[in-house]
Amino acid sequence: MPLDYHIHTYRCGHAQGAPGAYLARAQQLDFREIGIADHMPAYHLHPGDPRSRKYAMAMDDLTAYVDEVLRLREQAEGIRVRLGIEADFVPGREAELKDLLSRFPFDYVIGSVHFIGDWCFDDPDYIQKYDDWDMHELYATYFDLVSRAARSGLFDIVGHLDVVKKFGFRPAEDISPILEGVAAALGEAGVCVEVNTAGLRKPVNEMYPGEDLLRLCRNHGVEVTLGSDAHSPTEVGADFDKALAMLRSAGFDRITAFEGREPRFISLEGFEESWFGKTSVR
Ligand code: ZN
Ligand code: FE
Ligand code: FE
Ligand code: ZN
């Protein structure tokens, strides 16, 4: 397996296992590279909001998180460990996030939209809120936020691109113009998209993004990477056989890795690597 770039840890409050346990599982599965990308502290919520610790690590924990992953990188043998983070995109709060990101040597940053206004729409505890929305309006609003996240320049990878479908609620209308628009925005911004297998473990029972949207991304020259969104060590690399098959079927022949926020491409044929156009010896 080439890599898994979307791995959480016990620090976020809703996942199990230390980075070392995820690494051990990845080694067992013969991964070449993994990236730990736990939830960035909820910089956009009031510190007293109980949801800050339900969704993400404490602000005080960020330094310890970074140190733990960097230490693991030093110890790991036969596998590269990258320091990632999954940060919420919240319009109007870009400067705060930019400042926070600049303080740590992240290899890559996954930008995810989990909030529409104050509503964390991917939290099953607030699933009844879907009743208040027209689905077409909801999808348009969600994908507009994703396009703004892509254009913000804050992120290397957009996380779970169509997670708004998580619980299986979909508009009756044709949303291809919306999807076309988001794929174009990603392509213009030069932001990478992950094929995230967690959707297969959710009510929607589909990869993020679905194959149609992945094809639109391909048409717009968007690069891709891979993530399990593991919240327990057993989920590392989950359904990657299906993810790789879908990538190939959508016409992709390479995936993207990152070091120090610089992209590197890994060919899906034999996982041959290139770094700025050269064959890598790393
Ligand atoms: Zn999570
Ligand atoms: Fe997420
Ligand atoms: Fe995640
Ligand atoms: Zn996530």
Side-chain angles (χ1 to χ4, degrees):
M1 282 295 170
L3 55 78
D4 185 342
Y5 263 15
H6 197 144
I7 292 174
H8 291 280
T9 80
Y10 70 92
R11 285 187 198 274
C12 71
H14 60 269
Q16 274 121 48
Y22 289 88
L23 172 69
R25 179 65 182 146
Q27 284 172 313
Q28 221 173 52
L29 295 172
D30 213 18
F31 271 91
R32 293 183 157 204
E33 182 165 334
I34 58 161
I36 308 292
D38 209 354
H39 294 281
M40 172 67 100
Y43 67 95
H44 55 98
L45 294 178
H46 187 278
D49 188 325
R51 294 175 301 170
S52 0
R53 288 295 291 115
K54 181 183 184 189
Y55 299 147
M57 72 179 88
M59 194 58 84
D60 288 350
D61 237 12
L62 186 51
T63 302
Y65 164 73
V66 168
D67 289 349
E68 187 174 15
V69 176
L70 294 181
R71 227 178 309 123
L72 197 66
R73 166 195 289 173
E74 297 312 312
Q75 295 159 1
E77 293 197 3
I79 182 167
R80 287 175 285 219
V81 176
R82 301 299 184 201
L83 174 64
I85 194 97
E86 179 181 17
D88 286 309
F89 173 71
V90 179
R93 310 298 289 266
E94 291 88 345
E96 278 156 274
L97 179 57
K98 188 176 181 181
D99 175 63
L100 204 47
L101 291 172
S102 72
R103 295 188 218 160
F104 301 94
F106 295 115
D107 288 309
Y108 61 89
V109 179
I110 301 176
S112 294
V113 174
H114 300 113
F115 281 83
I116 291 175
D118 191 49
W119 175 36
C120 181
F121 62 87
D122 90 328
D123 181 344
D125 289 348
Y126 301 104
I127 193 171
Q128 78 286 348
K129 263 283 247 173
Y130 281 86
D131 293 345
D132 301 347
W133 280 83
D134 166 75
M135 283 307 113
H136 189 261
E137 185 71 28
L138 177 66
Y139 274 59
T141 303
Y142 169 77
F143 282 113
D144 176 61
L145 287 168
V146 170
S147 298
R148 289 155 76 177
R151 292 191 201 101
S152 72
L154 291 165
F155 308 114
D156 305 297
I157 301 164
V158 170
H160 40 65
L161 185 58
D162 56 359
V163 70
V164 68
K165 72 184 179 185
K166 177 174 178 173
F167 300 109
F169 303 119
R170 298 187 196 257
E173 298 89 342
D174 172 28
I175 57 162
S176 41
I178 295 176
L179 300 182
E180 184 68 37
V182 77
L186 290 160
E188 277 159 32
V191 179
C192 189
V193 159
E194 60 169 3
V195 171
N196 180 315
T197 60
L200 295 172
R201 309 190 292 275
K202 298 295 170 355
V204 69
N205 190 26
E206 231 182 55
M207 215 82 77
Y208 306 128
E211 184 153 357
D212 290 353
L213 180 51
L214 186 65
R215 283 177 189 278
L216 291 176
C217 289
R218 171 86 183 128
N219 295 345
H220 285 275
V222 179
E223 300 288 346
V224 289
T225 191
L226 276 170
S228 62
D229 217 335
H231 282 72
S232 116
T234 56
E235 291 171 348
V236 172
D239 295 309
F240 272 28
D241 49 341
K242 291 178 195 156
L244 288 166
M246 190 173 90
L247 280 171
R248 289 195 176 98
S249 137
F252 287 91
D253 58 8
R254 66 184 187 184
I255 59 170
T256 312
F258 290 90
E259 181 178 1
R261 308 200 64 179
E262 293 290 345
R264 179 179 94 242
F265 299 112
I266 302 177
S267 160
L268 288 177
E269 305 312 318
F271 308 139
E272 185 191 308
E273 301 181 26
S274 58
W275 180 264
F276 302 130
K278 295 185 198 120
T279 300
S280 171
V281 291
R282 284 162 198 276

